[in-house]
Amino acid sequence: MEPLIQLIDVRKKFGGQEVLKGVNLAIYEGKTTVIVGESGKGKSLVLKHILGLIKPDSGKVLVFGKDMNKIGSKELKDIRSHFGVLFQNAALFDSMTVFDNVALPLRERTNASEEEIKIIVNEKLNLMDIEYSNEKYPAQLSGGMRKRVGLARALVLNPKIVFFDEPTTGLDVAKSNEIYRVFHRTQTKLAYTAVIVSHDVPKIFKLADYVALIHEGIIQDCLTPEDFQTSENPAIRDFVEETMGLIYESEHVEG
Amino acid sequence: MILRQRPRGVIIIVMKLLEKLGELSLYYINQIGRMGIFLVLVCINIVKPPYYKISYVTKQIYLIGSLSIFVIVFTGVFTGMVLGLQGYNTLSKFGSEGFLGSAVALSLIRELGPVLTALMVTGRAGSAICAEIGIMRNSEQIDALECMAIDPHNYIMAPKFIAAIISMPLLTAIFDVVGIFGGYLIGVVQLGANEGAYFHSMYKNVEYNDVSMGFIKSLCFGLLVVWICSAKGYFVHLERKGGFGAEGVSRATTSAVVVSSVAVLVFDYFITSVLL
Ligand SMILES: Nc1ncnc2c1ncn2[C@@H]1O[C@H](COP(=O)(O)OP(=O)(O)OP(=O)(O)O)[C@@H](O)[C@H]1O
Ligand SMILES: [Mg+2]
């Protein structure tokens, strides 16, 4: 199957620091790909390359088979109109209320009437378990609430591809489980392609079709969660051991 | 040995200087280039669909125009008053107080009205525009807009540009009228110049050319101010000394106000010399 998104030998340097040293990654339609890795190793950076916000020093980023850095602004806009993005810091519009934040894509990109907008926005906000906060400003929300408003905004247009940068960081366990359930439900309903950056190992594996580990500036491997947990790749083994305890090692030794 | 080393040291210093100079020129050429592209993109977005909502434009007219009225009236009155005072004292030396009206009106309509209005709007609205956009850039809100396939040139910039271009001539007109009234207050009411002469000389000497010059100037200044201020905010992350965080925005805002004020005065000269 032809991948929907493909990164080919993407390299990126900041000053003397070479963060991405030849990233190769394929993301398939309708699947959930989870990117894991230590903090500060370039997970968000990979997302920003896919979104076309950062140009690679060398290498290619293909989305729908088109090179994100060679296409014109109109085509880029067309591609991005299929995106739903949650930034790591949520990037809410801080001088707009919660309601207006979520309503903005509808107001700018569709011809929906204010009544329709109201219904859709409230539905999405309820989905994310946010109530009584429509008239609040982002600065008046808790960190976890900001994340959830960001999620509601990302999902409001029912995008084809969603990018979530740490969707559940800063949420309590019950809330993050609820968010995962929402993802599962919406994904089965809308069959979107998802790229999720997360530290929530191993819980996130339940949601993942593929797991990719970024380490030493490259994607070590992109495998199904089962294969990932039993991979022979030393970096992946270390990561699995560190994040999931020693059980897996003993299993590995026995197996 | 020592003799040989000395020229080498000098060469190194010269090389360093040249390097710095080259780096600086590249930076400024780059900046001019991206500001030019920015202006073109905004203009394209103003005239071509998809159109921004009218309510965005009216909101910006309120922020840039309406909220500036008070400052403009205040500065306008005092400018007119000082013109009345100075003009009366100078003209009365030649016994030609009768020309006070035209002196006040001409200097206001041709020069002081557009220039001072532009400077006040820069200080009041230009700085606000730059800071607002700069903060949006630094907190990834502009990236978020782009990822939603909403063009910031269309959504943020176009309404501000239109609002500035509409507001500036109107504010200038208010400034002129209020200034003429200020000159009247001092020249006629306080110092006792002839009231009929004040208005008659104005009526006789102010021509259509003068008014249109003031109008063209105010249009140009409106565009200049909103262009420089919004581009400074939009490109805050590319500032040479680092455009990070609160300090980056504050530095960009300061430089936006300084650059637009200087640009207004420089362009005032050039527009005048072309139109005269
Ligand atoms: N604009 C930039 N300028 C300079 N360095 C950058 C920039 N963006 C990212 N980096 C560097 O790239 C590296 C990777 O950053 P990134 O944000 O992708 O990390 P991450 O894997 O998402 O970490 P976390 O899990 O903490 O979010 C970091 O070392 C960071 O300092
Ligand atoms: Mg990150």
Side-chain angles (χ1 to χ4, degrees):
Chain A
M1 194 166 74
E2 187 74 357
L4 198 62
I5 299 171
Q6 215 176 350
L7 278 80
I8 303 168
D9 200 29
V10 169
R11 285 163 196 275
K12 185 72 190 178
K13 237 183 191 172
F14 288 111
Q17 180 197 13
E18 196 172 14
V19 184
L20 304 182
K21 302 174 184 164
V23 165
N24 287 294
L25 180 64
I27 286 157
Y28 293 94
E29 191 165 359
K31 304 288 184 205
T32 300
T33 306
V34 172
I35 302 176
V36 294
E38 279 168 57
S39 183
K41 295 295 175 189
K43 300 183 297 298
S44 304
L45 200 58
V46 167
L47 278 196
K48 284 185 182 165
H49 276 92
I50 302 175
L51 296 169
L53 293 173
I54 292 184
K55 273 194 192 333
D57 295 337
S58 69
K60 271 192 220 167
V61 181
L62 305 178
V63 181
F64 299 126
K66 286 177 186 142
D67 190 333
M68 289 295 269
N69 300 297
K70 296 236 168 70
I71 54 179
S73 60
K74 191 157 176 305
E75 244 176 316
L76 188 62
K77 214 171 142 183
D78 276 348
I79 291 180
R80 281 172 170 167
S81 67
H82 300 296
F83 288 180
V85 184
L86 169 71
F87 283 78
Q88 188 164 3
N89 70 359
L92 299 179
F93 303 116
D94 49 18
S95 41
M96 286 185 201
T97 61
V98 165
F99 182 90
D100 289 337
N101 259 284
V102 181
L104 185 78
L106 291 165
R107 289 192 178 133
E108 286 300 305
R109 297 246 315 272
T110 68
N111 294 320
S113 69
E114 275 304 304
E115 287 92 67
E116 291 169 308
I117 289 176
K118 204 165 177 181
I119 294 168
I120 302 173
V121 170
N122 282 328
E123 179 206 328
K124 295 290 180 209
L125 285 173
N126 283 338
L127 201 64
M128 291 298 154
D129 207 10
I130 294 179
E131 282 161 347
Y132 314 116
S133 303
N134 280 9
E135 296 312 315
K136 282 192 180 166
Y137 287 86
Q140 300 170 311
L141 300 178
S142 75
M145 282 166 90
R146 253 173 256 163
K147 269 269 148 75
R148 283 179 283 144
V149 174
L151 280 170
R153 189 178 69 180
L155 290 171
V156 75
L157 283 178
N158 298 332
K160 275 203 189 119
I161 315 178
V162 298
F163 301 90
F164 297 147
D165 199 342
E166 308 198 5
T168 57
T169 309
L171 298 184
D172 60 63
V173 177
K175 283 260 163 42
S176 64
N177 286 345
E178 179 57 32
I179 296 284
Y180 288 141
R181 259 172 253 136
V182 169
F183 285 173
H184 191 72
R185 236 181 302 142
T186 45
Q187 158 113 52
T188 23
K189 203 169 80 188
L190 302 170
Y192 54 60
T193 311
V195 184
I196 302 178
V197 170
S198 181
H199 289 296
D200 199 359
V201 178
K203 235 191 273 167
I204 194 79
F205 286 0
K206 289 224 175 75
L207 209 67
D209 294 306
Y210 298 104
V211 181
L213 174 74
I214 184 161
H215 187 71
E216 299 283 335
I218 56 172
I219 297 278
Q220 296 288 341
D221 215 340
C222 184
L223 303 163
T224 61
E226 296 76 38
D227 293 347
F228 187 84
Q229 288 167 40
T230 54
S231 168
E232 298 289 342
N233 182 316
I236 298 184
R237 282 227 59 76
D238 283 351
F239 180 82
V240 170
E241 269 167 33
E242 269 162 34
T243 51
M244 301 170 73
L246 287 167
I247 307 163
Y248 291 89
E249 186 173 50
S250 59
E251 270 176 10
H252 177 68
V253 172
E254 283 162 20
Chain B
M1 277 289 274
I2 295 167
L3 271 178
R4 239 189 231 162
Q5 260 174 4
R6 221 178 248 157
R8 209 174 283 162
V10 170
I11 287 173
I12 289 175
I13 292 175
V14 170
M15 290 296 281
K16 279 251 154 73
L17 273 176
L18 280 177
E19 226 170 69
K20 201 86 206 149
L21 194 70
E23 192 191 310
L24 264 183
S25 354
L26 277 182
Y27 170 77
Y28 283 110
I29 291 171
N30 226 319
Q31 189 176 36
I32 291 170
R34 65 172 174 257
M35 283 187 63
I37 295 172
F38 175 81
L39 181 63
V40 171
L41 282 177
V42 175
C43 291
I44 291 174
N45 271 292
I46 287 177
V47 293
K48 255 177 65 176
Y51 292 116
Y52 29 85
K53 302 207 165 81
I54 294 294
S55 62
Y56 296 166
V57 180
T58 47
K59 183 181 170 203
Q60 292 302 325
I61 291 181
Y62 174 72
L63 291 177
I64 298 174
S66 308
L67 290 183
S68 302
I69 288 179
F70 179 74
V71 191
I72 294 300
V73 167
F74 206 69
T75 42
V77 164
F78 276 93
T79 309
M81 279 161 65
V82 83
L83 280 178
L85 195 59
Q86 293 275 19
Y88 184 86
N89 279 333
T90 313
L91 289 172
S92 62
K93 280 186 195 148
F94 311 104
S96 41
E97 303 95 277
F99 289 108
L100 183 61
S102 62
V104 169
L106 280 178
S107 36
L108 276 172
I109 290 171
R110 298 174 67 121
E111 231 13 87
L112 291 176
V115 170
L116 289 181
T117 306
L119 294 181
M120 296 316 292
V121 170
T122 305
R124 233 216 97 259
S127 55
I129 290 174
C130 179
E132 180 192 337
I133 298 175
I135 288 172
M136 288 187 83
R137 165 66 76 188
N138 273 351
S139 54
E140 295 188 312
Q141 293 176 52
I142 291 191
D143 291 345
L145 275 178
E146 285 180 345
C147 288
M148 287 178 199
I150 299 171
D151 190 347
H153 296 102
N154 183 288
Y155 173 71
I156 307 177
M157 307 304 171
K160 288 195 198 303
F161 273 62
I162 296 180
I165 293 171
I166 292 178
S167 302
M168 197 70 94
L170 293 175
L171 289 173
T172 304
I174 294 176
F175 190 101
D176 291 349
V177 170
V178 170
I180 290 168
F181 175 73
Y184 170 83
L185 266 188
I186 294 300
V188 177
V189 177
Q190 200 197 355
L191 298 174
N194 185 301
E195 181 175 352
Y198 186 85
F199 286 108
H200 184 71
S201 73
M202 197 185 310
Y203 179 71
K204 264 186 74 181
N205 290 316
V206 177
E207 286 167 3
Y208 174 73
N209 273 345
D210 304 319
V211 178
S212 76
M213 179 195 257
F215 179 68
I216 290 172
K217 275 185 181 178
S218 65
L219 278 183
C220 295
F221 294 164
L223 180 65
L224 205 59
V225 168
V226 72
W227 174 33
I228 291 173
C229 291
S230 51
K232 279 273 176 194
Y234 192 67
F235 297 117
V236 64
H237 58 306
L238 301 176
E239 284 278 313
R240 193 165 60 88
K241 289 188 190 131
F244 301 110
E247 213 172 285
V249 173
S250 90
R251 218 178 293 133
T253 308
T254 309
S255 111
V257 170
V258 172
V259 173
S260 348
S261 308
V262 172
V264 162
L265 294 172
V266 170
F267 269 77
D268 183 43
Y269 173 79
F270 286 115
I271 297 171
T272 311
S273 67
V274 169
L275 290 183
L276 265 185

